[in-house]
Amino acid sequence: MLDPKLLRDSPELVRAAIAKKHLDADLDAVLAIDTAWRAQLTEVETLRSQQKAANTEMAALKKGSPEFLAKVQEMKAVSAAVKAKEDGLKEVEERWNAAMLTMPNLPHASVPEGRTPDNNVVHATFGDPANTSPVAQPHWEINGFERLVDFPRGAKVTGAGFPFLIGDGAKLSRALLQFFLDENVKAGYTEVSPPIFVNAASATATGQLPDKEGQMYETTPDRLYAVPTAEVPLTNFYRNEILDVEMLPVCRCAHTPCFRREAGSYGKDVRGLNRVHQFDKVELLKWVHPSSSYDELEKLRADAESLLQKLELPYRVLLMCGGDLGFAQSKKYDLEVWAAGQKRWLEVSSCSNFETFQARRAQIRFRNPETGKPELVHTMNGSGLAVPRVFAALLENNLQPDGRVKLPAALVPYFGKEYLSFK
RNA sequence: GGAGAGGUGGCAGAGUGGUCGAUUGCGCGUGCUUGGAAAGCACGUGUAGGCGCAAGCCUACCGGGGGUUCGAAUCCCCCCCUCUCCGCCA
């Protein structure tokens, strides 16, 4: 959600943002609704004011006196008018809200121009894709893969895209999670184990509702949503709260399974572990003071990157262009790991600054010590990291001629042995 | 799941239809007092929205939503949450 005042005072900034993100939002329609809403609000408030004045007057009158009864009659008309106008106002307010939700967040000045993913800027590349396994294969074709990751059984038990992890597969997943969490805690994030179902209010605050409803699994009869990312419960932790400025920045990390319906995405890009309906992920999240927001984003990205570095996986950092930025983000980096068997980059982390966009919806503020007034915090998050694609990259990049997978030194203490076996 | 009791400002806690955005106490802030402090005294102390150059004015908010009424913190309905007891249970 954008600041309504920004819309009124600087519509040109919003217009530029819409253009830079290559969106279709109709700013003029929103401005028209805003004007109408304010006009209606004034009308209702004037009537309410009359009611309150009459109320004070009537309190002083003797109940049942002719003056009193006359006033009652008089105010009946006002009461009816208030009801009618309030109904109208409520209707306009709903349209106003819906309209405001179509206004995207402003991209940061450092976001490059561009319409499609091809226009994303390669910000940095680490490691050498050429320096990976000479016998690399797509992970789903590796001999014995199905003994570690069982898709058919998962499909039988639950549905497509819900694989079982077995033996060294389950163990590698657990080792990665543990490694990620430990490293993140060392980097200063407090570990949190959040609920993995959230209510509609939480899903709305972080932007999954109303428009991305179909991407979440919803439970009946309680209408709870399985989290698509730990970002949702984590961000909502402080919903409707005013934080002490001394607390900032608050840095947290959490492991949750993530559930995504991903309706309609099929094809070669989603083979194997590339895209599944349930996967494990560790999320990094910060609530920060607006003044340090972009420094904190760089740190968050560096923290996520250090995980890939310790796993000795080649990766690149993309700075997303305006058109590929996303509706709610001000700036976003994607980390993509090299998968030597598929010969392609796989996104394993997306580090975004939302500035006040989420904080306004979720009403997360801090008290400015200078003014004593509450102000919105900035929120940002990034994966640190998503497990299945890192899992896939490890299998593909580190495949040995003997059919085993050599694990990076940093992971050995967690995995308990140097080689993963498909037996 | 069943029965009962509750949910009011930072906290405690009044308020059962009108002058209540809300008594009071604590806390907090400013000032007076003091050698300094405490105590005492005085004043102040929520959030959001609209209008206005501003000073300021207006409106809303007593867990959430609806209703009754000229008028709702107060009455009615639905929902959520907390506590106590019972049941069930890892």
Side-chain angles (χ1 to χ4, degrees), chain A residues 131-146:
Chain A
N131 193 21
T132 48
S133 168
V135 296
Q137 302 175 63
H139 59 272
W140 58 87
E141 287 175 12
I142 296 172
N143 189 24
F145 174 75
E146 70 285 348

Side-chain angles (χ1 to χ4, degrees), chain A residues 45-58 75:
Chain A
E45 289 190 348
T46 306
L47 286 170
R48 295 287 294 172
S49 182
Q50 283 177 33
Q51 275 190 314
K52 287 186 73 165
N55 194 36
T56 309
E57 234 179 284
M58 290 168 77
M75 293 316 292

Side-chain angles (χ1 to χ4, degrees), chain A residues 25-340:
Chain A
D26 189 347
L27 175 61
D28 294 312
V30 178
L31 288 171
I33 292 170
D34 185 50
T35 306
W37 171 68
R38 284 187 287 166
Q40 296 236 35
L41 183 63
T42 305
E43 282 186 50
V44 168
E45 289 190 348
T46 306
L47 286 170
R48 295 287 294 172
S49 182
Q50 283 177 33
Q51 275 190 314
K52 287 186 73 165
N55 194 36
T56 309
E57 234 179 284
M58 290 168 77
L61 291 174
K62 191 162 178 262
K63 227 170 249 181
S65 68
E67 298 91 335
F68 186 91
L69 293 174
K71 204 72 192 170
V72 168
Q73 285 312 309
E74 185 192 328
M75 293 316 292
K76 277 192 178 185
V78 177
S79 180
V82 167
K83 275 207 174 73
K85 292 276 183 198
E86 271 182 346
D87 287 347
L89 180 64
K90 195 183 281 181
E91 189 265 329
V92 175
E93 232 154 30
E94 274 165 24
R95 285 199 292 133
W96 185 88
N97 261 315
M100 285 301 299
L101 291 177
T102 67
M103 293 290 102
N105 199 2
L106 272 46
H108 190 256
S110 61
V111 169
E113 298 287 342
R115 181 183 287 271
T116 69
D118 295 334
N119 303 122
N120 293 333
V121 172
V122 179
H123 183 263
T125 304
F126 288 80
D128 184 1
N131 193 21
T132 48
S133 168
V135 296
Q137 302 175 63
H139 59 272
W140 58 87
E141 287 175 12
I142 296 172
N143 189 24
F145 174 75
E146 70 285 348
R147 282 195 285 273
L148 264 53
V149 184
D150 191 333
F151 279 93
R153 261 55 170 264
K156 174 175 70 181
V157 172
T158 302
F162 288 93
F164 279 88
L165 299 181
I166 301 144
D168 275 2
K171 194 169 191 176
L172 178 58
S173 177
R174 178 161 56 88
L176 283 168
L177 285 171
Q178 194 100 324
F179 168 71
F180 292 156
L181 284 167
D182 283 355
E183 291 296 322
N184 292 331
V185 168
K186 271 189 234 163
Y189 298 81
T190 301
E191 183 178 345
V192 174
S193 180
I196 60 170
F197 291 95
V198 295
N199 57 31
S202 294
T204 305
T206 35
Q208 276 70 34
L209 295 179
D211 42 319
K212 294 179 190 155
E213 196 146 20
Q215 294 184 23
M216 289 188 294
Y217 291 95
E218 183 181 352
T219 65
T220 46
D222 296 315
R223 285 212 64 194
L224 295 176
Y225 298 89
V227 297
T229 160
E231 170 194 344
V232 181
L234 233 37
T235 304
N236 277 281
F237 184 87
Y238 286 125
R239 175 151 54 89
N240 294 328
E241 293 193 31
I242 298 174
L243 309 182
D244 188 341
V245 71
E246 309 290 327
M247 292 166 66
L248 303 178
V250 179
C251 303
R252 293 192 166 172
C253 64
H255 156 238
T256 64
C258 301
F259 301 91
R260 302 198 180 170
R261 294 187 67 226
E262 310 273 15
S265 43
Y266 301 97
K268 65 177 167 56
D269 291 350
V270 304
R271 295 289 304 276
L273 292 168
N274 289 358
R275 187 169 296 177
V276 284
H277 289 308
Q278 176 186 334
F279 62 98
D280 287 295
K281 179 163 69 66
V282 174
E283 186 74 2
L284 305 172
L285 196 137
K286 292 188 191 182
W287 296 260
V288 309
H289 192 282
S291 64
S292 62
S293 167
Y294 282 91
D295 292 340
E296 292 292 347
L297 178 66
E298 294 303 313
K299 279 200 243 169
L300 186 142
R301 174 175 60 76
D303 291 333
E305 278 187 53
S306 78
L307 300 170
L308 290 168
Q309 288 166 13
K310 285 173 181 147
L311 293 177
E312 303 165 46
L313 290 167
Y315 69 95
R316 63 178 189 177
V317 182
L318 293 182
L319 174 57
M320 313 310 278
C321 72
D324 203 26
L325 185 52
F327 181 79
Q329 291 87 349
S330 295
K331 186 171 183 174
K332 175 162 94 172
Y333 294 103
D334 273 3
L335 306 188
E336 296 187 331
V337 72
W338 177 251

Side-chain angles (χ1 to χ4, degrees), chain A residues 1-4 100 205 240 355-365 376-377:
Chain A
M1 175 97 80
L2 276 184
D3 185 354
M100 285 301 299
N240 294 328
E355 296 197 8
T356 61
F357 201 80
Q358 286 184 328
R360 178 169 288 104
R361 275 204 199 188
Q363 283 299 301
I364 305 171
R365 295 172 293 171
L376 295 164
V377 300

